[in-house]
């Protein structure tokens, strides 16, 4: 991997902004859902908390990320994308993002749902980092399926 290329990726302004100023970074006191995921390869950790209202909407999100910029930024972007959505929509966003990270280009409408997550498309040039980008999805999906089992 050419270091200059990776610098270019980290130079992406949207990614850098989320990395430096993660959204929804306060942890929730008594969340309905708690979900964590770890990627030992580069020491990434994602911690998510959600509150779910009576209509099944994600009313509040807490997100804390440790590790590389890609992981931290994607967690922040995902937390923004799912806030205010139903759990079903959150699942859909997660699936769309995973498709995108397999090279499937989102439609205009899907890109709207993904929001800033679309800027992760540059990570496709760095296959080893795709796992970092998808760690937040792993946490999200685990959290949602735990919640549904209750
Ligand atoms: Zn990473």
């Amino acid at each position: 991997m050419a270091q200059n290329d990776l610098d270019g990726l980290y130079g992406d302004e949207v990614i850098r902004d989320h990395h430096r100023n993660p959204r929804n970074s306060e942890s929730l006191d008594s969340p309905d859902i708690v979900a964590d995921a770890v990627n030992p390869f580069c020491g990434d950790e994602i911690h998510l908390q959600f509150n779910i209202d009576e209509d099944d909407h994600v009313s509040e999100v807490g997100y804390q990320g440790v590790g590389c910029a890609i992981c931290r930024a994607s967690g922040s972007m995902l937390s923004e994308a799912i806030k205010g959505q139903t759990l079903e929509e959150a699942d859909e966003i997660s699936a769309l993002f995973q498709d995108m990270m397999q090279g499937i280009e989102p439609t205009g409408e899907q890109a709207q749902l993904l929001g800033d997550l679309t800027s992760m498309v540059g990570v496709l040039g760095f296959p080893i980092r795709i796992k970092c980008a998808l760690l937040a999805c792993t946490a999200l999906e685990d959290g949602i399926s735990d919640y549904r089992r209750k």
Side-chain angles (χ1 to χ4, degrees):
M1 186 190 301
Q3 191 58 43
N4 287 346
D5 292 348
L6 195 59
D7 284 349
L9 180 60
Y10 286 150
D12 181 288
E13 243 170 69
V14 184
I15 293 177
R16 209 168 47 189
D17 181 47
H18 277 271
H19 168 52
R20 290 198 179 142
N21 310 297
R23 317 296 196 268
N24 307 301
S25 60
E26 276 193 33
S27 68
L28 304 182
D29 282 340
S30 49
D32 296 316
I33 300 180
V34 178
D36 304 300
V38 176
N39 172 12
F41 175 76
C42 53
D44 294 338
E45 286 178 35
I46 294 269
H47 306 285
L48 287 169
Q49 305 89 41
F50 311 100
N51 279 325
I52 309 300
D53 68 15
E54 309 87 70
D55 300 326
D56 227 23
H57 285 85
V58 178
S59 56
E60 284 182 288
V61 189
Y63 154 71
Q64 301 81 43
V66 179
C68 71
I70 303 302
C71 155
R72 283 170 47 86
S74 63
S76 170
M77 292 169 182
L78 187 72
S79 78
E80 262 198 331
I82 63 172
K83 198 170 176 180
Q85 308 282 8
T86 62
L87 282 182
E88 208 171 311
E89 287 161 341
D91 253 347
E92 191 189 330
I93 289 167
S94 175
L96 286 174
F97 183 51
Q98 290 174 69
D99 282 352
M100 192 188 97
M101 296 314 289
Q102 286 177 15
I104 303 170
E105 209 179 308
T107 65
E109 206 174 308
Q110 291 170 339
Q112 288 256 307
L113 280 174
L114 288 167
D116 284 351
L117 281 168
T118 53
S119 67
M120 283 287 160
V121 74
V123 179
L124 283 175
F126 307 94
I128 212 155
R129 295 279 166 183
I130 291 176
K131 261 197 160 168
C132 304
L134 292 176
L135 192 64
C137 290
T138 307
L140 174 70
E141 289 181 359
D142 284 358
I144 291 177
S145 57
D146 275 357
Y147 180 75
R148 286 188 171 140
R149 270 197 296 271
K150 278 180 196 159

